[in-house]
Structure formats: structure tokens, C-alpha cells
Amino acid sequence: MYIHLCRFQDGGTSFALPAGMFSRRAILGAGAVAGMVSPAAFATQVPASEFGLEPNVARDQSEAFRKALRAVGGRGLFLPPGVYLAAGLEITAPMALMGLPGLTRIVSSTGGTILSVREAPAVTLSGLVLDGAATGQDSEAPPVFSSLDARDLALESITLRKAAGTGLSLRRSSGSIHHCTIADCGETG
């Protein structure tokens, strides 16, 4: 049995996953996140597959992510459940980057910062696990997620984990944080 999760506006791109891959809690959580993210972000959502991003492949997908993040400005980018290897990603324009809580993971391919928001207004991150993949503690290590001079930043149902140093760095930024978890950080959350 498969559960159909999403049909994109173009009607041609959708995906389904085995029913056993989900818990009732994860599916309800995804519905709750959908209610928190701007409806406009979902209405103009672009599937990650359009940029060659694939879940559960053993190669670094940083370049495909960079291409996607540049191209979707002002819209939403949806990442299907699975694991993505990437690092050094930067958002500099309004957008929403969305996944399914607990099921969409971006794991650092370098041990460095996975995602930064720089001088961008109206950025929403929702339903993602950002995993620094650190196995030890390093006070000099970069954060898993950082924000500098961001306005109206929204972090919703985000998990930041396995940072060698700091999991989250917010500098001169404003916005909201809802239903987020920070765990297993070497220095500070």
C-alpha cells in the first residue's frame, strides 16, 4: 500500500511512499506544518526533482541545491522525504524550503554549515532535519544553521542536530521559531 503525499500544481509531478514508512504522528505533524506556512508558498511550490535533487542517494547534492535555491526565489521548494547530502547552502531571497517533519533530512556533506540565510526577507524553513553529522565537540566549528540580517525568518518544525559546535546562530535577524528541536550539539544550541 502507498500513501500519496503531494500533487504539484503542474499536475505532472507527484510522489508516493510506502505506507509503513509513516507514523500517524508524522502525517498529522505534516498537516500542522502546512497550516503554518504561507498558503502562497504552497500555491507556487516547485518540486525538488526539477533541479535533479533526489532523496537517499550517496552523493553530495550541494550544487543541485544551489541551483534550486537561486531559481525558486519568491516561491516554495518542496523536498520529498529522505536523506540529502549537502553543505554550504545559502538563501538570499524570499522563499520557503519545506519537507515533512522528521522525514526530510539534509545531512552535512562536509561537517560545515548546511544552510545560511543572508540579508533575505520572508524566508520560511519548515519540516526539515538539518544534521551536522558531527561525532565530537569543536568550539570552533561553524553552526549547522545560521542567519545574518534576515527579516521575517520563520523556522517551523525544524530539527537541528549533531553540530560539533553551535547548532543555531541568529545574528541581526528577526522572525519566529515554532515547534523546533535542537539536540546533540557539542557547544550550544
Side-chain angles (χ1 to χ4, degrees):
M1 177 176 158
Y2 284 80
I3 296 175
H4 183 80
L5 293 176
C6 187
R7 179 164 306 282
F8 296 97
Q9 239 182 337
D10 66 9
T13 308
S14 63
F15 65 95
L17 296 170
M21 189 172 183
F22 295 100
S23 68
R24 180 177 181 272
R25 184 177 189 184
I27 293 171
L28 291 174
V33 169
M36 291 187 290
V37 177
S38 160
F42 279 102
T44 58
Q45 185 170 290
V46 179
S49 60
E50 285 191 16
F51 301 97
L53 289 165
E54 300 174 65
N56 304 321
V57 296
R59 70 178 184 283
D60 187 316
Q61 298 190 70
S62 299
E63 281 308 311
F65 264 108
R66 287 184 191 101
K67 179 180 171 184
L69 294 173
R70 283 190 302 269
V72 300
R75 299 179 288 167
L77 178 64
F78 180 77
L79 297 172
V83 177
Y84 302 82
L85 296 176
L89 308 177
E90 188 169 270
I91 295 174
T92 59
M95 69 166 296
L97 179 59
M98 301 164 285
L100 289 180
L103 299 175
T104 303
R105 293 179 50 211
I106 304 174
V107 177
S108 178
S109 57
T110 65
T113 298
I114 296 172
L115 183 61
S116 300
V117 176
R118 299 279 184 256
E119 300 176 3
V123 171
T124 296
L125 304 178
S126 177
L128 302 171
V129 175
L130 301 179
D131 186 331
T135 56
Q137 183 175 350
D138 179 1
S139 62
E140 302 298 315
V144 171
F145 172 78
S146 70
S147 173
L148 176 64
D149 295 322
R151 297 178 317 280
D152 300 319
L153 174 67
L155 303 179
E156 300 163 349
S157 297
I158 299 293
T159 298
L160 303 169
R161 61 189 299 260
K162 293 189 178 179
T166 300
L168 173 69
S169 173
L170 303 173
R171 295 177 49 214
R172 296 189 309 266
S173 297
S174 64
S176 62
I177 299 174
H178 298 279
H179 309 290
C180 293
T181 302
I182 301 172
D184 302 324
C185 296
E187 288 291 313
T188 59

